[in-house]
Amino acid sequence: MNLGNPIAVGNTAEIYQYDDKIVKVFKKHLPPSEHLHEAKKQEYASSCGLSVPKIFKVTEIAGRQAIIMEYRKGKTAGDLILENMESAENYLNICVDMQQKIHALPADASVIGSMTAKLHNQIQSVETLNKTQKSFLLKKLGSMIFEPKLCHGDFHPFNLVLSDWKVCVIDWADSSSGDVRADVIRTFLLLSKVSVKLAEMYVHIYCRISGLSRDEVFQWTPIIAAARLSENLSVAENTRLLEIVVQTSGT
């Protein structure tokens, strides 16, 4: 299979368009069952009635894990925002509407995984956090009370494909059963890396529609920022997130 050049490259995989399909080829350093794990989560989202690409095959290509799935023609909400910043609020409203549809769904942690368990492991693994910081963050994580719901785990405008105002959500690798407020804060942190104005607009829209207060959502900030430090990020982003952890936790 000659895939040509990737149309996108992320921390965990390269994305190729092959005829009318998308081929996601995972990087070699990942656990050997990563493709099975992600495919299971995407199929779970589909079983909940959400619009996600259909998976055709979980396989290996040139010795690397791969998923072959449906290609959904369209543009991402992120691309549309960049093309016309004046319409940003309109597209962010579409994003919030979809995220709330996801958050309205219950999620079985035994099937899709526990957000709390994942965050705990991520925080424990961060070498730039000291013992005092980790202790504080893990205690705060353990004190959070919430009704488990389906959370995407990497929800941002570039993971929403729009076509004729139909919305398809892609990249379900980090989805889990957890607190919707934590999912919103992760979106905020991802957006604020690019534009604080867009990130603030997003949270404002989400809180206005959901009825959640800003304080309720932002209490998750140090936990999610700390967990993000376990990912393969740039030096600048690591520095930014560590500063956020210190500022919002007081440690």
mmCIF file of all heavy atoms in Angstrom, residues 21 37-38 42 49 85 96 110-111 149 153 159 194 200 231 237 239:
data_model
loop_
_atom_site.group_PDB
_atom_site.id
_atom_site.type_symbol
_atom_site.label_atom_id
_atom_site.label_comp_id
_atom_site.label_asym_id
_atom_site.label_seq_id
_atom_site.Cartn_x
_atom_site.Cartn_y
_atom_site.Cartn_z
ATOM 1 N N LYS A 21 -10.609 6.586 1.811
ATOM 2 C CA LYS A 21 -10.406 6.144 3.190
ATOM 3 C C LYS A 21 -9.320 6.973 3.870
ATOM 4 O O LYS A 21 -8.510 7.623 3.218
ATOM 5 C CB LYS A 21 -10.008 4.658 3.226
ATOM 6 C CG LYS A 21 -11.064 3.712 2.666
ATOM 7 C CD LYS A 21 -10.569 2.279 2.693
ATOM 8 C CE LYS A 21 -11.644 1.321 2.182
ATOM 9 N NZ LYS A 21 -11.949 1.557 0.744
ATOM 10 N N HIS A 37 -7.012 -0.534 20.929
ATOM 11 C CA HIS A 37 -7.544 0.290 22.018
ATOM 12 C C HIS A 37 -8.317 1.483 21.452
ATOM 13 O O HIS A 37 -9.446 1.765 21.850
ATOM 14 C CB HIS A 37 -6.374 0.758 22.881
ATOM 15 C CG HIS A 37 -6.754 1.617 24.039
ATOM 16 N ND1 HIS A 37 -7.466 1.164 25.112
ATOM 17 C CD2 HIS A 37 -6.509 2.935 24.285
ATOM 18 C CE1 HIS A 37 -7.648 2.150 25.979
ATOM 19 N NE2 HIS A 37 -7.079 3.234 25.500
ATOM 20 N N GLU A 38 -7.709 2.183 20.490
ATOM 21 C CA GLU A 38 -8.365 3.354 19.915
ATOM 22 C C GLU A 38 -9.588 2.979 19.090
ATOM 23 O O GLU A 38 -10.619 3.648 19.153
ATOM 24 C CB GLU A 38 -7.383 4.152 19.059
ATOM 25 C CG GLU A 38 -8.012 5.400 18.444
ATOM 26 C CD GLU A 38 -7.022 6.356 17.833
ATOM 27 O OE1 GLU A 38 -5.834 6.338 18.250
ATOM 28 O OE2 GLU A 38 -7.418 7.129 16.958
ATOM 29 N N GLN A 42 -13.506 4.341 19.450
ATOM 30 C CA GLN A 42 -14.238 4.987 18.354
ATOM 31 C C GLN A 42 -15.528 4.229 18.053
ATOM 32 O O GLN A 42 -16.571 4.841 17.787
ATOM 33 C CB GLN A 42 -13.355 5.056 17.107
ATOM 34 C CG GLN A 42 -13.930 5.934 16.004
ATOM 35 C CD GLN A 42 -12.857 6.399 15.031
ATOM 36 O OE1 GLN A 42 -11.779 6.844 15.457
ATOM 37 N NE2 GLN A 42 -13.125 6.293 13.756
ATOM 38 N N GLY A 49 -24.495 6.514 19.054
ATOM 39 C CA GLY A 49 -25.261 7.302 18.099
ATOM 40 C C GLY A 49 -24.578 8.562 17.627
ATOM 41 O O GLY A 49 -25.190 9.382 16.952
ATOM 42 N N MET A 85 -11.975 34.655 11.022
ATOM 43 C CA MET A 85 -12.033 34.861 12.467
ATOM 44 C C MET A 85 -13.308 35.571 12.904
ATOM 45 O O MET A 85 -13.741 35.434 14.054
ATOM 46 C CB MET A 85 -10.814 35.647 12.929
ATOM 47 C CG MET A 85 -9.506 34.867 12.863
ATOM 48 S SD MET A 85 -9.489 33.419 13.958
ATOM 49 C CE MET A 85 -9.454 34.223 15.557
ATOM 50 N N VAL A 96 -19.418 23.658 20.816
ATOM 51 C CA VAL A 96 -20.013 23.488 22.145
ATOM 52 C C VAL A 96 -21.256 22.608 22.064
ATOM 53 O O VAL A 96 -21.472 21.718 22.907
ATOM 54 C CB VAL A 96 -20.356 24.851 22.771
ATOM 55 C CG1 VAL A 96 -21.238 24.667 24.005
ATOM 56 C CG2 VAL A 96 -19.085 25.594 23.147
ATOM 57 N N SER A 110 -15.668 0.544 32.482
ATOM 58 C CA SER A 110 -15.116 -0.785 32.226
ATOM 59 C C SER A 110 -14.951 -1.044 30.732
ATOM 60 O O SER A 110 -14.182 -1.910 30.327
ATOM 61 C CB SER A 110 -16.014 -1.872 32.831
ATOM 62 O OG SER A 110 -17.272 -1.921 32.173
ATOM 63 N N VAL A 111 -15.652 -0.256 29.918
ATOM 64 C CA VAL A 111 -15.567 -0.410 28.464
ATOM 65 C C VAL A 111 -14.621 0.621 27.862
ATOM 66 O O VAL A 111 -13.742 0.289 27.059
ATOM 67 C CB VAL A 111 -16.960 -0.279 27.808
ATOM 68 C CG1 VAL A 111 -16.846 -0.350 26.289
ATOM 69 C CG2 VAL A 111 -17.897 -1.354 28.327
ATOM 70 N N LYS A 149 -19.691 10.754 32.725
ATOM 71 C CA LYS A 149 -20.274 10.935 31.393
ATOM 72 C C LYS A 149 -19.207 10.659 30.335
ATOM 73 O O LYS A 149 -18.015 10.595 30.628
ATOM 74 C CB LYS A 149 -20.800 12.367 31.240
ATOM 75 C CG LYS A 149 -21.966 12.719 32.168
ATOM 76 C CD LYS A 149 -23.231 11.973 31.784
ATOM 77 C CE LYS A 149 -24.429 12.422 32.639
ATOM 78 N NZ LYS A 149 -25.677 11.738 32.237
ATOM 79 N N GLY A 153 -11.885 13.842 25.515
ATOM 80 C CA GLY A 153 -10.512 13.817 25.996
ATOM 81 C C GLY A 153 -9.514 14.619 25.178
ATOM 82 O O GLY A 153 -8.407 14.877 25.631
ATOM 83 N N ASN A 159 -10.720 18.749 15.598
ATOM 84 C CA ASN A 159 -11.217 17.382 15.651
ATOM 85 C C ASN A 159 -12.704 17.291 15.313
ATOM 86 O O ASN A 159 -13.351 16.270 15.565
ATOM 87 C CB ASN A 159 -10.949 16.756 17.023
ATOM 88 C CG ASN A 159 -9.564 16.144 17.108
ATOM 89 O OD1 ASN A 159 -8.950 15.830 16.092
ATOM 90 N ND2 ASN A 159 -9.049 15.979 18.323
ATOM 91 N N VAL A 194 -3.244 28.573 21.487
ATOM 92 C CA VAL A 194 -3.311 29.297 20.213
ATOM 93 C C VAL A 194 -3.874 30.701 20.395
ATOM 94 O O VAL A 194 -3.349 31.676 19.865
ATOM 95 C CB VAL A 194 -4.176 28.517 19.193
ATOM 96 C CG1 VAL A 194 -4.279 29.274 17.879
ATOM 97 C CG2 VAL A 194 -3.614 27.124 18.967
ATOM 98 N N GLU A 200 -11.388 31.669 25.993
ATOM 99 C CA GLU A 200 -12.334 32.316 26.910
ATOM 100 C C GLU A 200 -13.732 32.349 26.313
ATOM 101 O O GLU A 200 -14.726 32.137 27.015
ATOM 102 C CB GLU A 200 -11.863 33.735 27.234
ATOM 103 C CG GLU A 200 -10.633 33.806 28.114
ATOM 104 C CD GLU A 200 -10.910 33.436 29.570
ATOM 105 O OE1 GLU A 200 -12.091 33.203 29.916
ATOM 106 O OE2 GLU A 200 -9.945 33.368 30.355
ATOM 107 N N GLU A 231 2.568 14.442 28.375
ATOM 108 C CA GLU A 231 2.521 14.240 26.929
ATOM 109 C C GLU A 231 3.792 14.781 26.261
ATOM 110 O O GLU A 231 4.574 15.504 26.868
ATOM 111 C CB GLU A 231 1.272 14.926 26.366
ATOM 112 C CG GLU A 231 -0.023 14.386 26.972
ATOM 113 C CD GLU A 231 -1.247 15.182 26.585
ATOM 114 O OE1 GLU A 231 -1.237 15.821 25.514
ATOM 115 O OE2 GLU A 231 -2.231 15.181 27.356
ATOM 116 N N GLU A 237 5.504 24.865 25.662
ATOM 117 C CA GLU A 237 4.207 24.436 26.190
ATOM 118 C C GLU A 237 4.364 23.813 27.573
ATOM 119 O O GLU A 237 3.522 24.023 28.452
ATOM 120 C CB GLU A 237 3.539 23.460 25.220
ATOM 121 C CG GLU A 237 2.168 22.963 25.646
ATOM 122 C CD GLU A 237 1.089 24.034 25.746
ATOM 123 O OE1 GLU A 237 1.391 25.232 25.528
ATOM 124 O OE2 GLU A 237 -0.062 23.691 26.050
ATOM 125 N N THR A 239 6.591 24.640 29.769
ATOM 126 C CA THR A 239 6.816 25.776 30.665
ATOM 127 C C THR A 239 5.508 26.478 30.986
ATOM 128 O O THR A 239 5.224 26.811 32.144
ATOM 129 C CB THR A 239 7.806 26.781 30.034
ATOM 130 O OG1 THR A 239 9.048 26.119 29.780
ATOM 131 C CG2 THR A 239 8.035 27.968 30.948
#
